[in-house]
Amino acid sequence: MDIASMQRDENNFDFLRFFAASAVVLGHCYWLSGLGAVEPVRLFTGSMDTADIAVNLFFVMSGFLIAASWIHSRSSVDFAGKRALRIFPALAASTLFTAFIVGPLATDLPLSEYLLNSQTVRYLTNVALFTQFHLPGVFTANPFPGSVNGSVWTLPYEVLMYTMLLTLGLLKLFGRMAVLVVPIALMFIHFHLAPNLGLESDMLRKVTRLGMFFFLGSALYLYRKILPWNWKIALALLSLSLISARTEWWFLVHVLTLPYLTIYLAHLKIPRLSRFGRYGDFSYGIYIFSFPVQQLLVHWLDPELPLPVFMAISLTASIAIAALSWHLIESPALRLKRFLPGSRQGVSGAGLTPAP
């Protein structure tokens, strides 16, 4: 299997991103709907649901592709500029859409009071990665009233990973040994140090969890030419992950197996799958627009609507708005990369969907 090539039409990253984003939408349906249906993946693993695993997959792909982007960037400004163009224009559109379209349609406050409320103003700071989940009077009667857009929590961590990788690069430490030290250190903190010291920090838990997947993805990029890539190893790792389900060891096994399985699948030769993204990469749009759309659907639709119907409507609506986001916002923004100082055509497909 050729992992050396990073041409867009020679890998399945577009499909995997779309698959992961869709999995987030479908996973969220279980608890946003309030129907009380048991999420089957959480039931199987004992700890993580569909959306959780999709986020982990996103961060593996991110680590792999962003490592490639750093190596192929001509400068730190070029690298940072490309990442900013991928993240912030669509995030700004999603924030404004949620605050000034979804919010007014769902709030139980008078429109003038809603617009002048300090909470509405604070919500706009999501554009600057200061995560805010609430809008005044919005979705307060929904089964899940705690968030207008719960997906945005991952974006500050995504940018943190970019910053950590950039820092390693600027310090001339981004190499095979250093890129292994980082995930090993994060695993030590996550699985040993934090539990033994009784550290209950939610931020620490999220940084170490997402960082493990991101930097193992980066390590696989740097070691891609010397690692064996074959179906026997992939099958053995998948079997190990399945066998360990509902045990105390499952998440550690998941951390150690998902990165290889993800990159193996991304480069598996499957006819036509490598051309999946020829009409656009809708995954980021699906991810950042789907949650408020789903909440609005719950607000509007019959509460007894069957879960499969809610899933179908949610996914269709999310893909539709993501397609608009891609063609009207994301793709035009990415074309601005050519104006970055010292920029050149980078790794195809390196624009990643940041995930929940």
Side-chain angles (χ1 to χ4, degrees), residues 277-339:
R278 63 187 179 276
Y279 299 117
D281 179 4
F282 303 155
S283 54
Y284 185 33
I286 291 172
Y287 181 70
I288 60 175
F289 284 97
S290 61
F291 200 106
V293 169
Q294 288 175 283
Q295 285 281 58
L296 190 60
L297 288 172
V298 172
H299 178 75
W300 279 344
L301 296 176
D302 183 348
E304 300 301 321
L305 189 72
L307 182 61
V309 177
F310 178 55
M311 286 180 165
I313 296 173
S314 293
L315 189 56
T316 301
S318 298
I319 293 172
I321 196 169
L324 291 175
S325 175
W326 173 257
H327 290 294
L328 299 179
I329 300 166
E330 297 167 61
S331 182
L334 291 174
R335 287 198 290 270
L336 298 177
K337 289 191 293 186
R338 65 182 183 273
F339 297 113

Side-chain angles (χ1 to χ4, degrees), residues 48-111:
M48 288 196 159
D49 60 21
T50 303
D52 292 327
I53 294 175
V55 167
N56 299 340
L57 187 139
F58 270 128
F59 272 79
V60 171
M61 290 189 287
S62 180
F64 188 90
L65 294 171
I66 301 308
S69 181
W70 167 254
I71 289 173
H72 288 81
S73 295
R74 288 191 170 182
S75 69
S76 57
V77 174
D78 181 33
F79 172 82
K82 287 186 291 187
R83 304 281 58 79
L85 289 172
R86 188 65 185 105
I87 295 286
F88 290 104
L91 175 60
S94 172
T95 302
L96 294 173
F97 168 79
T98 304
F100 297 120
I101 295 180
V102 173
L105 288 173
T107 186
D108 54 19
L109 299 178
L111 182 59

Side-chain angles (χ1 to χ4, degrees), residues 233-262:
I233 296 176
L235 182 60
L237 293 177
L238 177 61
S239 300
L240 184 62
S241 182
L242 295 176
I243 292 170
S244 64
R246 298 193 67 81
T247 71
E248 61 179 321
W249 297 102
W250 178 80
F251 184 57
L252 175 59
V253 173
H254 177 63
V255 170
L256 296 175
T257 57
L258 183 70
Y260 183 97
L261 291 171
T262 301

Side-chain angles (χ1 to χ4, degrees), residues 331-353:
S331 182
L334 291 174
R335 287 198 290 270
L336 298 177
K337 289 191 293 186
R338 65 182 183 273
F339 297 113
L340 294 172
S343 184
R344 63 180 176 179
Q345 191 65 30
V347 177
S348 183
L352 162 86
T353 301

